[in-house]
Amino acid sequence: MEAPRNDETNDVTQVVPPDRLVEGYVRKQCQLLGDIHNVPIALDIGNRTQILDIVDNARRQGILPWEPSNEHSVTLSLSAYNAKIMKNDSEVWPSLYNKEH
């Protein structure tokens, strides 16, 4: 049995084969700006305009920042069995913070 695959990519258009999510996981570097509470249950998550309106309202209310910073840097790890969001630490992920690399 081969070791689980760990794929890290910045290509957001990449389609991940289902077997890769069953046998391993995929990691993505992301920006997590915060939590938005009281989102309507009837929200159509496929409606980009509705989503952007909610995000813009949260920014105007000061719930979310207008610009992401290093403190918002996270790693999203996805598999068929779980999803993890891990805060990136500048000591653990120095290449994210060091512009020389």
Side-chain angles (χ1 to χ4, degrees):
M1 180 175 189
E2 76 180 62
R5 288 182 272 180
N6 166 20
D7 294 317
E8 188 168 339
T9 178
N10 289 325
D11 181 5
V12 296
T13 62
Q14 178 183 5
V15 176
V16 179
D19 67 320
R20 186 177 304 168
L21 296 176
V22 171
E23 297 170 7
Y25 59 94
V26 175
R27 283 193 322 195
K28 295 282 200 183
Q29 299 301 318
C30 305
Q31 299 286 322
L32 179 64
L33 300 180
D35 298 326
I36 302 174
H37 299 279
N38 300 323
V39 175
I41 197 162
L43 176 69
D44 176 7
I45 62 171
N47 185 326
R48 187 174 188 266
T49 303
Q50 283 184 337
I51 301 289
L52 292 176
D53 284 344
I54 289 172
V55 170
D56 286 343
N57 286 334
R59 286 179 167 162
R60 280 193 283 285
Q61 295 171 10
I63 297 169
L64 298 180
W66 284 96
E67 294 292 327
S69 66
N70 287 343
E71 73 182 44
H72 301 111
S73 183
V74 298
T75 299
L76 175 63
S77 177
L78 298 172
S79 78
Y81 307 104
N82 65 41
K84 295 179 188 176
I85 299 174
M86 299 164 284
K87 184 165 177 55
N88 292 338
D89 185 351
S90 61
E91 294 177 16
V92 176
W93 299 93
S95 63
L96 293 175
Y97 300 96
N98 187 349
K99 300 297 182 191
E100 295 175 8
H101 294 292

